[in-house]
């Protein structure tokens, strides 16, 4: 597929599925790239960059479009709205693509999709934007601080307000900036099969760029690297052989703080896709047992696929609803991992549409679910055992306030460690970790 219009047609399809049909961006993009594996590396990179960037910057792009169009974006036909968004993203953020080419390709695509009557409108809006982009007046940060940050960083205003209230303006702007950065791909060595140095050499031999982590910031993660320069993972023999596992740094740290001992019984109540569970199993060196649980057959199949690839014998996947009490697990776990469903606001670099899906009401529902699960599973922990509670979000209600509630309800647990990791801090996602020890 060398016709640029066809490549852009795939992007338009991705945006339609995500913005109009409510599908998850990372899943839709992955599905398209898997379906069209014959595309060149450059074409695949273009599809990924424009799709993710357009979704990520949607609020700003809509603001720009509304500055130049008499018909506001929310009144446009969905296909035309998404076509303009992806085109404005290229004009503003991709210098390698000539503005004239962006306009011409958008007009051709509008006609191909049956909107010949609107091709002149598309052309007029995009030509106006390409000429007047530098003259756009953005909201005044002094007069309208929340709106200004919302437009500049394409973040819904309610999240900006919440973060300012909870963490202050300086930290909020750092998080907003980090949410638009390119997330590094971090991997950890399967220590049961290969040493970190041998993996580094294998990856380099496969044409992958390997960067070691800051040893002062992450002394525990001697087995982890940041990698780049890959097209798709399944093209790497080292990945197919299970020599490494893709995992965010913050997620690795959660398993590190859980600190299982050889021979321990570990239960992970919301385990999919299984990264933390597998790391626990690796840390126990083929001893003990890890039970990786999740709600649906599909999620359990993801865990099983990763267990199989990594080749571990001391871990099994089980379909189990974490909100349903399991009598057989009471007093069984030396380590209980509770990485619970959350608002996901720490993962915005990778899951670019999460910020548009979530709401304050949605957060309240999640807090209730998190408390319900904690109230159900806490008794699985042995006296002296560890409950590791974690989320991939930045929200006091789901994090610190949940821990405060839990120890009030269950005073037999004591907080040993608690930390909010902010987005972009030390390369990782935003993440919350609380380690609680059962005293009796």
């Amino acid at each position: 597929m060398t016709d640029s219009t066809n490549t852009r047609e795939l992007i338009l399809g991705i945006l339609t599925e995500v913005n109009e049909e409510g599908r998850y961006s990372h899943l839709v993009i992955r599905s398209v790239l898997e379906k069209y594996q014959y595309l060149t590396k450059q074409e695949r990179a273009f599809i990924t960059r424009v799709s993710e960037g357009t979704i990520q910057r949607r609020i700003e792009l809509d603001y720009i479009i509304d500055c130049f169009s008499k018909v506001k974006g929310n009144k446009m036909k969905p296909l035309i709205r998404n076509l303009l968004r992806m085109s404005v993203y290229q004009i503003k953020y991709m210098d390698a693509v000539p503005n004239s080419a962006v306009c011409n390709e958008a007009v051709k695509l509008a006609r191909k999709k049956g909107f010949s009557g609107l091709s002149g409108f598309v052309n007029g809006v995009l030509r106006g934007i390409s000429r007047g982009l530098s003259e756009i007046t953005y909201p005044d940060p002094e007069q309208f601080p929340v709106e200004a940050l919302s437009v500049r960083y394409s973040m819904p205003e309610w999240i900006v307000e919440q973060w300012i209230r909870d963490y202050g303006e300086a930290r909020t702007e750092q998080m907003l900036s980090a949410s638009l950065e390119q997330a590094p791909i971090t991997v950890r060595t399967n220590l049961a099969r290969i040493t970190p140095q041998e993996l580094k050499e294998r990856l380099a031999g496969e044409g992958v760029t390997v960067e070691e982590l800051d040893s002062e910031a992450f002394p525990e993660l001697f087995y982890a690297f940041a990698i780049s320069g890959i097209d798709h993972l399944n093209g790497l023999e080292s990945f197919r052989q299970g020599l490494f596992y893709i995992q965010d740094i913050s997620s690795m740290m959660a398993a590190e703080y859980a600190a299982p001992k050889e021979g321990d019984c570990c239960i992970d109540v919301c385990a999919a896709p299984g990264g933390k569970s597998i790391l626990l199993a690796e840390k126990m060196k083929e001893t003990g047992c890890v039970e990786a649980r999740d709600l649906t057959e599909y999620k359990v199949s993801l865990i099983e696929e990763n267990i199989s690839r990594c080749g571990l014998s001391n871990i099994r996947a089980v379909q189990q609803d974490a909100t349903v009490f399991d009598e057989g697990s009471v007093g069984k776990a030396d380590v209980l991992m509770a990485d619970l469903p959350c608002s996901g606001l720490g993962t915005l670099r990778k899951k670019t549409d999460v910020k548009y899906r979530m709401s304050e009401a949605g957060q309240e529902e999640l807090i209730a679910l998190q408390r319900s699960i904690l109230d159900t599973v806490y008794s699985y922990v042995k006296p002296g055992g560890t409950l590791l509670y974690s989320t991939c979000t930045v929200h006091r209600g789901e994090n610190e306030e949940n821990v405060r509630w839990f120890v009030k309800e269950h005073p037999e647990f004591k907080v040993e460690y608690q930390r909010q990791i902010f987005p972009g801090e030390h390369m990782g996602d935003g993440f919350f970790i609380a380690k609680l020890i059962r005293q009796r």
Side-chain angles (χ1 to χ4, degrees):
M1 183 182 290
T2 54
D3 184 338
S4 57
T5 303
N6 288 338
T7 307
R8 286 178 167 87
E9 190 173 356
L10 292 179
I11 295 167
L12 184 57
I14 290 169
L15 297 178
T16 299
E17 286 193 56
V18 174
N19 293 330
E20 313 307 326
E21 298 169 20
R23 295 196 58 205
Y24 292 101
S25 61
H26 63 293
L27 298 180
V28 176
I29 293 169
R30 185 192 307 162
S31 174
V32 168
L33 295 179
E34 286 176 356
K35 184 177 179 181
Y36 296 94
Q37 286 192 19
Y38 58 82
L39 293 171
T40 66
K41 188 174 181 178
Q42 289 76 14
E43 287 170 328
R44 294 163 64 83
F46 181 75
I47 289 170
T48 302
R49 167 86 188 274
V50 178
S51 299
E52 289 183 347
T54 302
I55 296 165
Q56 196 173 51
R57 302 266 186 179
R58 192 174 88 188
I59 291 174
E60 182 192 26
L61 299 176
D62 285 352
Y63 181 87
I64 293 170
I65 291 166
D66 285 352
C67 287
F68 288 85
S69 173
K70 291 179 181 176
V71 181
K72 299 307 176 190
N74 60 2
K75 300 291 186 184
M76 293 177 188
K77 302 234 177 246
L79 184 136
I80 297 299
R81 179 169 59 236
N82 286 309
L83 180 58
L84 289 174
R85 285 169 172 164
M86 62 183 270
S87 301
V88 175
Y89 178 79
Q90 292 167 75
I91 290 169
K92 182 164 175 61
Y93 290 105
M94 297 182 73
D95 293 339
V97 184
N99 290 351
S100 57
V102 174
C103 296
N104 291 338
E105 296 295 344
V107 168
K108 284 198 287 185
L109 193 47
R111 289 173 179 158
K112 184 175 181 180
K113 290 295 186 180
F115 290 92
S116 294
L118 291 173
S119 61
F121 168 76
V122 168
N123 187 55
V125 172
L126 293 179
R127 301 258 177 218
I129 290 171
S130 63
R131 286 193 301 268
L133 193 60
S134 61
E135 298 163 18
I136 292 175
T137 302
Y138 281 80
D140 184 343
E142 297 295 324
Q143 274 190 290
F144 310 104
V146 172
E147 185 187 0
L149 289 172
S150 172
V151 172
R152 181 178 173 190
Y153 294 105
S154 282
M155 187 69 71
E157 290 187 13
W158 73 267
I159 297 177
V160 176
E161 289 174 345
Q162 185 179 90
W163 283 358
I164 289 174
R165 183 175 67 245
D166 286 352
Y167 307 108
E169 286 188 29
R171 172 67 77 181
T172 295
E173 189 151 11
Q174 287 173 4
M175 290 195 287
L176 292 171
S177 179
S179 76
L180 297 176
E181 291 173 0
Q182 179 70 36
I185 300 173
T186 50
V187 304
R188 60 172 176 77
T189 310
N190 182 348
L191 296 172
R193 292 190 170 183
I194 194 169
T195 68
Q197 185 58 36
E198 286 169 342
L199 176 63
K200 186 177 178 183
E201 291 167 4
R202 279 286 297 271
L203 288 169
E206 292 178 284
V208 177
T209 302
V210 183
E211 179 189 347
E212 295 189 7
L213 304 186
D214 181 345
S215 59
E216 288 188 14
F218 305 107
E220 306 94 340
L221 305 185
F222 64 91
Y223 49 74
F225 304 105
I227 64 171
S228 57
I230 60 173
D231 188 6
H232 51 94
L233 280 171
N234 283 321
L236 299 176
E237 187 180 354
S238 54
F239 177 75
R240 295 195 302 271
Q241 290 179 348
L243 302 184
F244 68 91
Y245 191 91
I246 301 281
Q247 191 170 7
D248 187 78
I249 288 170
S250 301
S251 177
M252 296 182 215
M253 291 302 295
E256 285 291 337
Y257 283 117
K261 303 179 298 297
E262 291 186 30
D264 273 357
C265 170
C266 303
I267 300 175
D268 190 342
V269 295
C270 297
K276 285 182 286 297
S277 296
I278 290 169
L279 182 50
L280 292 177
E282 286 181 17
K283 288 177 75 64
M284 293 195 295
K285 300 177 181 176
E286 296 293 308
T287 69
C289 176
V290 178
E291 198 167 277
R293 301 175 175 179
D294 222 303
L295 178 62
T296 65
E297 191 176 329
Y298 170 70
K299 287 189 172 183
V300 171
S301 72
L302 290 179
I303 300 169
E304 287 174 336
E305 181 183 320
N306 284 320
I307 291 172
S308 174
R309 193 171 49 78
C310 293
L312 295 165
S313 61
N314 61 336
I315 177 171
R316 67 190 186 107
V318 177
Q319 188 173 345
Q320 171 82 32
D321 184 345
T323 64
V324 177
F325 179 65
D326 176 28
E327 181 72 41
S329 296
V330 174
K332 182 179 171 183
D334 295 287
V335 173
L336 184 82
M337 295 289 291
D339 183 44
L340 301 188
C342 69
S343 56
L345 299 183
T347 65
L348 298 181
R349 298 179 303 173
K350 298 169 185 168
K351 299 179 180 179
T352 50
D353 55 327
V354 165
K355 58 189 175 183
Y356 309 120
R357 296 172 174 278
M358 190 44 58
S359 65
E360 288 182 281
Q363 285 182 326
E364 290 303 314
E365 290 174 10
L366 285 162
I367 290 169
L369 174 62
Q370 290 153 356
R371 293 185 178 187
S372 172
I373 293 174
L374 288 171
D375 232 1
T376 302
V377 304
Y378 79 92
S379 64
Y380 304 166
V381 183
K382 292 177 180 177
T386 295
L387 168 59
L388 199 293
Y389 174 64
S390 61
T391 73
C392 57
T393 198
V394 182
H395 178 217
R396 289 196 188 279
E398 295 173 78
N399 297 340
E400 292 92 342
E401 289 174 21
N402 262 352
V403 172
R404 196 176 303 120
W405 165 85
F406 180 78
V407 294
K408 184 179 178 184
E409 293 292 313
H410 304 285
E412 66 270 32
F413 283 86
K414 181 181 178 184
V415 179
E416 182 176 280
Y417 175 87
Q418 180 173 291
R419 181 182 175 188
Q420 174 70 65
I421 301 171
F422 292 101
E425 186 180 341
H426 304 310
M427 294 173 66
D429 284 340
F431 209 81
F432 176 78
I433 300 170
K435 181 175 182 176
L436 301 102
I437 307 297
R438 184 166 190 170
Q439 305 295 302
R440 59 185 189 276

